[in-house]
Amino acid sequence: MTDADVTTVGLSEEADDLLDQLKEQEIFSEKLDGYRFAISFAAASGVMPMDIGKRKTLFNVGSLDPGQLIRGAIEALYAEEVSSSSVYRVAERLADWGVRELHARATSGQLDFVEILKSAEDADAQ
């Protein structure tokens, strides 16, 4: 599948429900903001989750990544995965993992954005 074939992105139904909860808890003002942050969080965590299987379509790629910054980051960080899939399918996998992890932290009272950003900064410095 090429990126030209991918026009929309989504999440598993479970992760979509979790993202709805994060929005309802006002952790993110919009689901799109949470989706983008989840991608970044997963990438900064260095994970490469498995395929999510059946997905619920949420966003148009043009709305998600109008400046193609997400695309560029994923191509740079996940070149091997992109070669056998597509940038935005990798983005979905990262978003799904990120939403689940962010929700788990929020549920346990351990969601600290300052800590997350510092961890990403520390990882970048290494």
Side-chain angles (χ1 to χ4, degrees):
M1 174 177 295
T2 67
D3 284 326
D5 298 332
V6 178
T7 59
T8 60
V9 293
L11 292 170
S12 65
E13 289 196 26
E14 180 184 0
D16 181 48
D17 290 342
L18 298 177
L19 184 56
D20 282 334
Q21 291 174 30
L22 292 171
K23 184 181 180 302
E24 289 167 9
Q25 295 169 11
E26 298 182 349
I27 292 171
F28 296 106
S29 61
E30 299 295 330
K31 285 178 70 169
L32 185 55
D33 296 334
Y35 194 96
R36 287 181 180 133
F37 190 86
I39 291 169
S40 300
F41 175 52
S45 298
V47 300
M48 187 58 248
M50 300 299 292
D51 189 17
I52 60 174
K54 185 179 177 189
R55 66 185 53 81
K56 180 177 179 182
T57 300
L58 296 177
F59 308 110
N60 180 289
V61 167
S63 299
L64 171 70
D65 194 18
Q68 297 194 347
L69 297 174
I70 293 170
R71 176 191 188 89
I74 290 174
E75 286 175 335
L77 296 171
Y78 295 97
E80 186 175 324
E81 288 80 8
V82 168
S83 70
S84 63
S85 180
S86 78
V87 168
Y88 295 109
R89 290 296 173 242
V90 172
E92 286 179 325
R93 293 162 61 183
L94 295 168
D96 203 80
W97 182 92
V99 165
R100 291 170 189 272
E101 182 64 23
L102 291 167
H103 185 272
R105 289 183 182 206
T107 301
S108 68
Q110 301 296 314
L111 183 56
D112 181 345
F113 286 104
V114 172
E115 176 191 325
I116 290 171
L117 294 174
K118 282 183 180 180
S119 293
E121 182 179 67
D122 292 344
D124 190 45
Q126 293 177 357

